[in-house]
Amino acid sequence: MRILIVEDEARLAQALGQILQEAHYSTDIVCDGEDGLAYAVDGQYDIILLDVMLPRLSGLEVARRFRAAGGRTPILMLTARDEISDKVAGLDCGADDYMTKPFAPEELLARIRALLRRQGELVMETLSFGDLTLNLTACDLTCGARSVRLGHKEFEVLRLLMLHPRAILSKEELIVKVWGADSDVQDNNVEAYISFLRKKFFYLGSRVNIASLRRMGYRLEEKNA
Ligand code: CA
């Protein structure tokens, strides 16, 4: 189980990391909202602990943007302020639970266990773009009545493109995130997988295309009807 800690108070962040590591969770710690959002979107976390008052981007905004980008990881909001308005705002922005600082380690661990249990019941298991729906558990891609099974790497490439629907993803980013930074995968391997995906889009009759932007990378686009 991996937990992302987004907390700008260094001592609290360290203490949280220690509590969680002792409970056998692995953790990454970032200390501002922008990094928090980037890690949350790119990382494969099981829970996100998110402070509300953060430099660069507030915890509320991080949660809102993360959900808007299709992020489904449970978020446990942390705040120093015991105000009902913050709690409501946090939940409205997509947080799943809320804790007021200071809190006992036992309570934190209990809430994390509760969120992990709840996650098992989540029904939202898909990502969508245009007329395409990617099923994240079955690894199949659907357009209207047609459906096709994706290979593991095809699935990973498309999942990244769908998670960042308006962003341009470079070949280097795709290589690092899909194959790993130490892999010896080349640009033309990425091109091959993009071409497999385009063929599957065509087979499905989808209006979605993976646009190549010269020297920049790839982006999902919807062709006009
Ligand atoms: Ca703070």
Side-chain angles (χ1 to χ4, degrees):
M1 289 287 171
R2 294 182 66 211
I3 299 183
L4 176 64
I5 301 169
V6 190
E7 169 63 67
D8 61 316
E9 289 164 53
R11 273 198 306 181
L12 177 58
Q14 266 185 341
L16 286 169
Q18 200 173 346
I19 292 166
L20 295 174
Q21 280 153 31
E22 281 169 9
H24 307 292
Y25 297 105
S26 39
T27 56
D28 285 330
I29 298 176
V30 292
C31 53
D32 71 61
E34 277 185 14
D35 283 351
L37 181 61
Y39 273 69
V41 167
D42 292 341
Q44 300 288 310
Y45 296 101
D46 298 288
I47 299 268
I48 298 167
L49 299 188
L50 184 59
D51 186 26
V52 172
M53 300 292 282
L54 287 168
R56 296 171 81 197
L57 204 60
S58 80
L60 298 177
E61 194 56 23
V62 172
R64 201 188 59 72
R65 293 192 195 179
F66 179 62
R67 293 293 183 235
R72 299 175 332 286
T73 313
I75 295 174
L76 176 52
M77 281 270 186
L78 310 173
T79 186
R81 294 177 301 176
D82 187 13
E83 287 180 3
I84 190 83
S85 59
D86 272 5
K87 179 172 181 174
V88 171
L91 297 172
D92 277 349
C93 285
D96 298 272
D97 199 2
Y98 194 91
M99 282 183 82
T100 305
K101 295 185 262 186
F103 42 77
E106 298 74 35
E107 187 186 358
L108 174 71
L109 294 172
R111 289 193 186 228
I112 286 173
R113 285 193 299 271
L115 282 175
L116 290 171
R117 278 197 301 275
R118 221 194 288 171
Q119 191 185 23
E121 296 160 16
L122 273 185
V123 265
M124 200 167 66
E125 296 286 348
T126 60
L127 279 175
S128 295
F129 183 89
D131 53 15
L132 290 176
T133 301
L134 180 65
N135 184 315
L136 299 175
T137 42
C139 296
D140 55 22
L141 183 66
T142 305
C143 176
R146 285 192 158 187
S147 190
V148 69
R149 187 73 178 271
L150 298 184
H152 179 63
K153 298 297 183 199
E154 291 171 347
F155 169 80
E156 286 297 326
V157 168
L158 183 57
R159 191 180 67 87
L160 283 171
L161 288 166
M162 282 184 152
L163 272 174
H164 309 267
R166 279 164 295 277
I168 298 170
L169 288 183
S170 69
K171 285 177 188 166
E172 292 73 26
E173 270 178 281
L174 287 168
I175 289 174
V176 169
K177 287 175 185 162
V178 174
W179 286 270
D182 300 330
S183 77
D184 51 9
V185 163
Q186 305 291 315
D187 282 7
N188 58 4
N189 295 102
V190 179
E191 286 158 20
Y193 280 94
I194 294 287
S195 138
F196 296 155
L197 282 169
R198 283 183 181 136
K199 282 181 185 140
K200 291 192 172 170
F201 290 6
F202 182 76
Y203 164 79
L204 291 170
S206 172
R207 288 192 289 112
V208 176
N209 180 40
I210 303 175
S212 305
L213 296 112
R214 188 193 279 267
R215 282 194 288 275
M216 292 172 73
Y218 300 103
R219 181 172 63 195
L220 288 178
E221 285 183 355
E222 223 181 333
K223 289 177 276 190
N224 293 325

